[in-house]
Amino acid sequence: MYSLFRNILFNFDPEGVHYFSMDVLRKASKIKWINNAIASQYQLNHSLLKKELFGLTFNNPVGLGAGFDKNAVYLNELELLGFGFVEIGTVTPKPQDGNDKPRLFRLPGDNAIINRMGFNNDGVEAVAKRLRERQNNLHHQPSTINGQFIIGGNIGKNKATPNEDAWKDYTFCFNVLFDCVDYFVVNVSSPNTPGLRELQEKSSLLKILSALQQINQGQSKPKPLLLKIAPDLTKEQIDDIIDLATAVNLSGLVATNTTINRQGLLASPKQIDSIGAGGLSGKPLRLLSTEVVRYIHRKTNGAIPLIASGGIFTGQDAQEKLDAGASLLQVWTGFIYEGPSIVKNICKHLIQ
């Protein structure tokens, strides 16, 4: 059923379809019997799926990666579809439009997406206001899932902020969102903001993460702080990040972001050239991200918790990541191609 629906949607602009689809779900789910039907169809609650990590209880280990619900608009709808957690953002201090359109491209033959969104978002204060309003509403309308729905905050810097001042953007976002999210992820690995990946170098990262941890440790209840890394790092660069994660006491790593690699794609070189720059996600990223997860897990003897992201479409893909050393999972492109049943299908496989 979804494959037919997807084939129709794939005839239209990817970014427009994204908002259209989620807005339809949002309106439909306001009708009680439809809401109940969706919950019955897509949610799966089982004691074997629950996961304790970072001092948080996840209803299941399948989350939605950052970039899908940048502005925390669709959290209720995504919870309804059975996700164990959702990472909002990437959020920046000031609102920004992102890169010029078109900036989101499908590669159906590769089960992949190329994006160069450029941290388009409403700005951290608008997002925090939306999250607080949701928290207030939940006091009057309990969640459809037993237990807490975990929300992560993925934070970044504005395009106009020079790298030497990047730490100021990250600390600003951290302070504003602190009471609104359950954990934080520092994004220095997107390929779509000029110069951002340079912040993955050890000295730049140390400045940002140390500033955040200084604020964090001053709180009565510090929040889990993670770092999202690129799949294109050398082993030496990953080793530096492991050393740094240990030194500043990070809670974990998200492995990985999108790749700038274009090798092995079925799409023609002409099509790839016409699309241009951007981060590649989906099936072609699966093995690359799994190898990064496996390398970090083995190098640290599992001492650093990992959220695995990249090429997860099926239960087998999810199990591969868990076997490599991941504790939690994030889907994104798989959600686009597999549809709303992806979480339940993965969870069924994990239970079995």
Side-chain angles (χ1 to χ4, degrees):
M1 181 67 180
Y2 176 73
S3 60
L4 176 63
F5 187 54
R6 183 190 66 196
N7 290 341
I8 295 171
L9 293 179
F10 272 26
N11 289 309
F12 299 95
D13 167 64
E15 193 169 349
V17 162
H18 169 80
Y19 291 109
F20 169 78
S21 302
M22 292 306 298
D23 286 341
V24 168
L25 176 61
R26 192 179 192 189
K27 290 175 182 176
S29 63
K30 292 184 184 299
I31 302 170
K32 188 173 181 179
W33 71 267
I34 295 180
N35 184 288
N36 292 339
I38 293 171
S40 176
Q41 177 70 23
Y42 296 114
Q43 292 178 8
L44 180 61
N45 296 312
H46 197 290
S47 59
L48 291 176
L49 293 171
K50 290 191 181 296
K51 182 73 178 180
E52 300 280 346
L53 195 68
F54 315 132
L56 302 170
T57 301
F58 296 80
N59 287 301
N60 69 64
V62 186
L64 184 62
F68 190 95
D69 190 13
K70 291 174 178 289
N71 295 306
V73 174
Y74 303 114
L75 291 171
N76 292 340
E77 292 70 37
L78 294 167
E79 181 181 13
L80 193 62
L81 294 180
F83 283 99
F85 63 106
V86 168
E87 203 169 293
I88 60 144
T90 297
V91 180
T92 57
K94 298 176 182 177
Q96 59 182 28
D97 294 330
N99 294 322
D100 294 337
K101 298 179 182 180
R103 55 195 181 181
L104 189 63
F105 308 89
R106 305 183 192 97
L107 300 177
D110 290 290
N111 285 319
I113 287 175
I114 292 175
N115 92 83
R116 52 170 176 271
M117 303 300 288
F119 288 176
N120 55 306
N121 73 104
D122 294 341
V124 69
E125 290 173 322
V127 173
K129 181 182 178 184
R130 194 168 292 131
L131 287 167
R132 291 189 183 101
E133 289 172 352
R134 180 178 183 273
Q135 288 173 345
N136 291 333
N137 290 335
L138 287 178
H139 291 304
H140 308 289
Q141 184 177 0
S143 167
T144 55
I145 296 179
N146 296 324
Q148 184 186 13
F149 184 55
I150 304 297
I151 299 170
N154 188 296
I155 55 177
K157 79 173 190 71
N158 282 113
K159 184 177 180 180
T161 303
N163 277 0
E164 57 267 27
D165 293 330
W167 66 275
K168 297 178 183 177
D169 280 15
Y170 287 97
T171 55
F172 185 83
C173 290
F174 188 85
N175 280 319
V176 174
L177 282 179
F178 191 85
D179 295 327
C180 306
V181 298
D182 298 295
Y183 72 90
F184 283 94
V185 175
V186 175
N187 188 355
V188 291
S189 53
S190 169
N192 303 317
T193 296
L196 186 77
R197 282 189 166 195
E198 295 171 9
L199 295 175
Q200 291 182 112
E201 295 301 325
K202 197 170 185 178
S203 59
S204 299
L205 263 181
L206 179 61
K207 188 174 183 179
I208 294 168
L209 297 176
S210 296
L212 291 174
Q213 284 293 51
Q214 185 174 2
I215 298 168
N216 199 25
Q217 297 307 319
Q219 304 292 327
S220 58
K221 189 176 180 182
K223 291 288 170 76
L225 180 65
L226 292 84
L227 174 69
K228 189 169 188 175
I229 64 173
D232 309 307
L233 299 173
T234 65
K235 287 184 178 179
E236 289 76 16
Q237 289 173 314
I238 295 175
D239 289 344
D240 282 345
I241 285 173
I242 290 171
D243 291 342
L244 188 61
T246 304
V248 300
N249 197 29
L250 284 185
S251 303
L253 298 171
V254 180
T256 63
N257 213 318
T258 57
T259 180
I260 56 175
N261 195 312
R262 298 290 188 267
Q263 293 180 355
L265 295 177
L266 297 177
S268 68
K270 183 178 180 181
Q271 182 183 4
I272 298 302
D273 288 343
S274 69
I275 290 173
L280 175 74
S281 61
K283 281 287 187 185
L285 183 57
R286 195 195 96 219
L287 291 176
L288 185 59
S289 65
T290 299
E291 284 308 308
V292 174
V293 170
R294 183 175 288 113
Y295 179 80
I296 295 172
H297 182 73
R298 287 178 175 174
K299 187 81 176 180
T300 64
N301 292 316
I304 298 178
L306 299 168
I307 300 179
S309 175
I312 302 173
F313 283 57
T314 67
Q316 289 88 343
D317 298 334
Q319 192 64 57
E320 177 185 89
K321 293 287 195 289
L322 295 173
D323 290 344
S327 297
L328 296 170
L329 310 162
Q330 285 182 342
V331 300
W332 199 110
T333 303
F335 183 35
I336 304 301
Y337 281 92
E338 297 294 314
S341 62
I342 187 171
V343 178
K344 191 171 187 178
N345 289 342
I346 290 174
C347 286
K348 278 183 177 179
H349 182 91
L350 296 181
I351 291 172
Q352 293 168 359

